[in-house]
Amino acid sequence: MSDDEEYEYEYDDDQDEEMDNAFEYSDEEEEADDGEIQLENEYYNAKGLRENDLGEAAAAFEKVIELDREGGNEHGQWSHKALKQLVKLHLRTGDTNEILLHYN
């Protein structure tokens, strides 16, 4: 085949309609995704606060844990990450008692 050859593609209109109908989402999936997105946003907002105010960042990480537990995840992904960051924050400040509270 040479570079001068042209390719023609034929599309079936019925196939496009089938593809459009294949992706239907329910409200339950959207709500679950919204909660997960909120947790992720809260986590990264808290992570951004670490540079300016450690106390405010710690409170924000605790909020992530609380939101995750309210959503039914006792030890979810975002809670785990938030706990890890809380331990790091308290190590940075030297507050070993707070580390033990969050570690348990």
Side-chain angles (χ1 to χ4, degrees), residues 28-46:
E28 291 175 8
E29 289 174 343
E30 290 176 12
E31 289 174 10
D33 289 343
D34 289 345
E36 190 71 20
I37 290 169
Q38 180 187 5
L39 279 170
E40 183 176 2
N41 288 340
E42 291 288 337
Y43 171 80
Y44 284 110
N45 288 338

Side-chain angles (χ1 to χ4, degrees), residues 23-70:
F23 296 104
E24 293 182 18
Y25 298 100
S26 70
D27 290 337
E28 291 175 8
E29 289 174 343
E30 290 176 12
E31 289 174 10
D33 289 343
D34 289 345
E36 190 71 20
I37 290 169
Q38 180 187 5
L39 279 170
E40 183 176 2
N41 288 340
E42 291 288 337
Y43 171 80
Y44 284 110
N45 288 338
K47 201 168 179 181
L49 293 172
R50 292 180 307 171
E51 303 301 321
N52 300 327
D53 185 4
L54 296 179
E56 193 175 332
F61 283 122
E62 288 173 0
K63 182 179 178 186
V64 171
I65 295 166
E66 181 181 318
L67 288 172
D68 206 10
R69 287 182 179 160
E70 286 175 2

Side-chain angles (χ1 to χ4, degrees), residues 8 17 21 24-25 38 46 51 66 84 89 93 96 103:
E8 290 186 29
E17 288 177 19
N21 293 334
E24 293 182 18
Y25 298 100
Q38 180 187 5
E51 303 301 321
E66 181 181 318
K84 181 178 171 183
L89 285 176
T93 60
T96 56
Y103 191 73

Side-chain angles (χ1 to χ4, degrees), residues 52-102:
N52 300 327
D53 185 4
L54 296 179
E56 193 175 332
F61 283 122
E62 288 173 0
K63 182 179 178 186
V64 171
I65 295 166
E66 181 181 318
L67 288 172
D68 206 10
R69 287 182 179 160
E70 286 175 2
N73 294 323
E74 183 68 26
H75 301 290
Q77 172 187 2
W78 299 110
S79 292
H80 176 75
K81 288 183 174 192
L83 282 169
K84 181 178 171 183
Q85 291 298 326
L86 277 169
V87 169
K88 286 181 179 181
L89 285 176
H90 294 307
L91 279 172
R92 189 183 300 175
T93 60
D95 193 355
T96 56
N97 290 330
E98 285 293 319
I99 295 171
L100 293 175
L101 287 175
H102 291 295

